[in-house]
Amino acid sequence: MTAEVSRSGAWWAVEVPEVPGAFTQAERLDQVEAAVVDAVRTRRECDDLAVTVTVAHWSTRARS
């Protein structure tokens, strides 16, 4: 899975395009993978999901 990450105030806003509706946030970039795993598991309603996250793009530009 690929996480698209952008800065939003003091947080990183995270979207997973492969999983519709999978959005999350993290205070630090090193927290993104765990946040994505949780968001994807919630959207797919499963507990045994193995997820590898690659942060392919990030921006410090805040979303409006």
Side-chain angles (χ1 to χ4, degrees):
M1 308 228 154
T2 301
E4 293 185 359
V5 183
S6 61
R7 198 69 173 167
S8 180
W11 292 82
W12 291 97
V14 185
E15 179 180 358
V16 183
E18 293 96 331
V19 182
F23 299 95
T24 190
Q25 61 184 9
E27 283 188 273
R28 300 186 323 256
L29 283 175
D30 65 344
Q31 297 171 327
V32 168
E33 185 169 352
V36 167
V37 168
D38 186 53
V40 171
R41 284 181 176 160
T42 299
R43 294 298 300 164
R44 295 216 173 142
E45 298 178 359
C46 62
D47 292 327
D48 60 349
L49 180 66
V51 176
T52 301
V53 176
T54 302
V55 179
H57 174 267
W58 64 273
S59 171
T60 56
R61 190 180 79 188
R63 292 183 182 196
S64 42

